[in-house]
Amino acid sequence: METAILTIKIYGNVERALSSASFMLENELKDLDAKAEVSLGPDGWLQVAATGDDGEFAINFLKEKFGTPVTYVDDKAVYRGFISSIDEDGVTVDIGISLKIQPSELSVLGAGTCPQIASRFGLIPYLPVYIRVLKQENGTFASFTKKQVDLFWSWKKLTTDRLTVNSVTRSELKSAIKKKGHGRDIYGIERLGLLENLVVCREKTDGPGIVAEIGPLLNAEIGVIKGTR
């Protein structure tokens, strides 16, 4: 049996999150002779064990795709992690250790305080992101990768609103939207992570209005990216 800890956060309803993780990994490994068993690992990371003739290959594939939490970092290396907090001092990202993206590094996303920038681009806790490590004289920090920054700007520059939502499965989010009669007001839902999704609104659909409707149905944090109209 091969095992690994993946850079996938399990939080909220743990039983539901593990069930969703099991389904997701089953789909990832559907073409392999491997079966994955999931469990809650240290610090809320997803632990996976794989059996079968392709078990070792499956684990290596999953580690390559999702990454593994780290205990040390290489200068300028790229890591996958999750936003853990946002305050005036910057955006903190958990990659196994916590690294701060300082306000100066957020200037690529425009003017404003860190909370203002985060609000503008729908940055919320548990949003999966890619960062680059910056080792400086006064400590080790991080910055979003160029590819990550470009993705944020691509959301912002489109003409339709978008919502970032954490702590819910795609099916739960879709159910809440349909229950409030907004199925026709969105183009679709993109998976960003296991429990993190991006709702793509249609033209003339008001993102904050959708949040006001579905928010009470979801135990989730929701960010709004207003389109450029």
Side-chain angles (χ1 to χ4, degrees), residues 6-124:
L6 301 181
T7 312
I8 296 174
K9 276 291 187 180
I10 301 298
Y11 59 100
N13 185 321
V14 173
E15 183 177 351
R16 177 204 59 187
L18 288 175
S19 176
S20 182
S22 180
F23 179 80
M24 182 181 73
L25 296 189
E26 179 182 337
N27 187 61
E28 291 286 349
L29 304 177
K30 62 183 179 181
D31 295 326
L32 300 177
D33 181 9
K35 179 178 176 60
E37 296 181 2
V38 299
S39 59
L40 181 63
D43 299 321
W45 299 110
L46 177 67
Q47 181 167 298
V48 57
T51 57
D53 290 344
D54 294 330
E56 181 177 0
F57 180 85
I59 286 294
N60 289 333
F61 168 76
L62 294 175
K63 288 166 65 174
E64 178 70 21
K65 177 161 187 174
F66 296 105
T68 58
V70 299
T71 56
Y72 66 91
V73 291
D74 293 327
D75 189 20
K76 300 187 185 304
V78 172
Y79 297 94
R80 182 178 188 268
F82 291 80
I83 292 176
S84 57
S85 65
I86 299 165
D87 55 35
E88 294 290 343
D89 295 326
V91 176
T92 301
V93 179
D94 184 2
I95 61 172
I97 61 175
S98 292
L99 293 177
K100 177 82 77 174
I101 301 176
Q102 297 178 297
S104 59
E105 293 297 329
L106 293 173
S107 61
V108 293
L109 295 176
T113 66
C114 296
Q116 287 172 339
I117 292 171
S119 177
R120 188 185 309 143
F121 286 89
L123 307 188
I124 57 175

Side-chain angles (χ1 to χ4, degrees), residues 119-122 152-164 187 198-208 223-229:
S119 177
R120 188 185 309 143
F121 286 89
F152 290 153
W153 275 114
S154 73
W155 293 347
K156 184 64 180 170
K157 290 181 178 179
L158 293 174
T159 57
T160 60
D161 292 357
R162 278 161 169 69
L163 311 176
T164 51
Y187 280 121
L198 181 74
V199 179
V200 182
C201 298
R202 288 183 178 273
E203 288 80 2
K204 298 183 180 180
T205 296
D206 179 56
V224 178
I225 306 133
K226 293 292 293 181
T228 303
R229 295 186 175 88

